[in-house]
Amino acid sequence: MIEAEAAPQSGTVRWHGRMHRMEELEWAAPVGGAMYGVAWNDRLEWERCFERMHQPPYRKPPEGPVLYMKPANTINAHRRPVFLPPGVNELRAVPALGLVIGRTAARVQPGRALDYVDGYTIVNDFSIPHEQRYRPAVKEQARDGFAPVGPWIVSKREAPPLSALSVRVYVNGLLVQQAGAGRFRRPVEQWLADVTDFMTLYPGDVLFFGWPADAPLAAAGDVVRVEIEGVGVLENRLVREEGGEER
């Protein structure tokens, strides 16, 4: 792993003894493991959909964590384009906080959950707008490049307390969404304990937590910028994908 000294507020990175502007560098995703999103983590989304949860086929809200995957083909990076598939005019851009696993985690206790976390990163969870809630929306969520991650991993020692983290989303420079960790239904430590109660997470895996209730829509040409205070800035432009065109 390459280490650098970053200053998100000024948009600079000190690397190999030299100071660089972020836009001068070519970025790659800082993670390569499995990526799992925790659905129904946003309390506002939960409250808005609570009545629908009592309808068929389930007739009650989920009791444990509901996960979905962003497979390897979706992983993208800071300042790399996100392609709109043919026939799709807009994508939903859900900002998320990613916990990067640093130690093999199985049946961890909430009080020690962060001992298994290496650091934090930003995930922009793009998807084709959809209403499917009862089956995995693989076709809508797992398209190539639909999960920009980065620009880096901030160690726990250097990041603010999780409870103090806040997110801001800009589309073409206009602030369109603002939220904080107070909207999470459970602390991330509890979610990590709940998930590892039935599955093992390995170093490099990412468990991420989004704010989907008021996430913006973006179209071709739009630049979506996600800022999580103390973690960094993740920015991507949406580009229309032409049929058969090489990317």
Side-chain angles (χ1 to χ4, degrees):
M1 181 179 296
I2 299 174
E3 293 189 3
E5 183 180 340
Q9 291 80 8
S10 63
T12 58
V13 178
R14 181 178 294 280
W15 183 48
H16 287 181
R18 290 183 54 200
M19 191 69 75
H20 301 265
R21 299 287 304 175
M22 289 181 66
E23 60 268 22
E24 296 173 351
L25 301 174
E26 184 173 345
W27 296 87
V31 299
M35 295 185 57
Y36 303 97
V38 179
W40 302 113
N41 168 63
D42 183 351
R43 179 168 44 81
L44 184 56
E45 182 192 34
W46 177 273
E47 292 170 353
R48 288 179 179 177
C49 299
F50 191 75
E51 186 174 333
R52 289 166 52 195
M53 294 178 190
H54 290 83
Q55 298 173 3
Y58 294 122
R59 300 183 185 277
K60 65 176 183 178
E63 296 176 357
V66 178
L67 301 180
Y68 61 99
M69 286 194 68
K70 284 288 192 175
N73 67 293
T74 67
I75 297 179
N76 207 338
H78 177 57
R79 296 181 61 84
R80 298 286 182 91
V82 174
F83 289 92
L84 282 85
V88 175
N89 294 319
E90 293 180 313
L91 297 182
R92 190 164 171 245
V94 177
L97 170 69
L99 270 62
V100 183
I101 303 302
R103 295 169 49 196
T104 300
R107 289 178 285 281
V108 306
Q109 297 301 310
R112 295 193 57 209
L114 294 185
D115 293 346
Y116 296 82
V117 173
D118 185 43
Y120 313 127
T121 192
I122 302 173
V123 179
N124 200 344
D125 181 12
F126 282 98
S127 65
I128 299 170
H130 60 280
E131 292 296 327
Q132 180 57 262
R133 294 291 181 182
Y134 299 115
R135 278 180 281 180
V138 176
K139 185 177 179 180
E140 291 79 13
Q141 292 179 311
R143 298 295 183 100
D144 292 352
F146 267 25
V149 185
W152 43 58
I153 300 168
V154 174
S155 72
K156 293 178 298 183
R157 299 184 304 276
E158 299 171 348
L162 287 174
S163 59
L165 292 180
S166 61
V167 65
R168 292 183 298 274
V169 182
Y170 298 83
V171 177
N172 301 328
L174 178 66
L175 179 64
V176 295
Q177 184 184 12
Q178 190 166 1
R183 264 185 38 188
F184 289 172
R185 286 201 307 116
R186 299 180 186 177
V188 298
E189 296 92 334
Q190 183 62 57
W191 281 126
L192 185 54
D194 291 345
V195 170
T196 61
D197 188 53
F198 62 85
M199 63 183 283
T200 300
L201 298 177
Y202 295 97
D205 289 349
V206 179
L207 190 66
F208 63 90
F209 308 85
W211 290 269
D214 49 353
L217 296 174
D222 289 344
V223 175
V224 182
R225 178 183 176 93
V226 180
E227 300 179 357
I228 296 183
E229 192 168 351
V231 177
V233 173
L234 179 65
E235 183 176 284
N236 300 89
R237 181 183 296 274
L238 273 65
V239 178
R240 182 162 298 285
E241 177 183 338
E242 301 297 336
E245 185 173 279
E246 194 173 302
R247 289 181 286 170

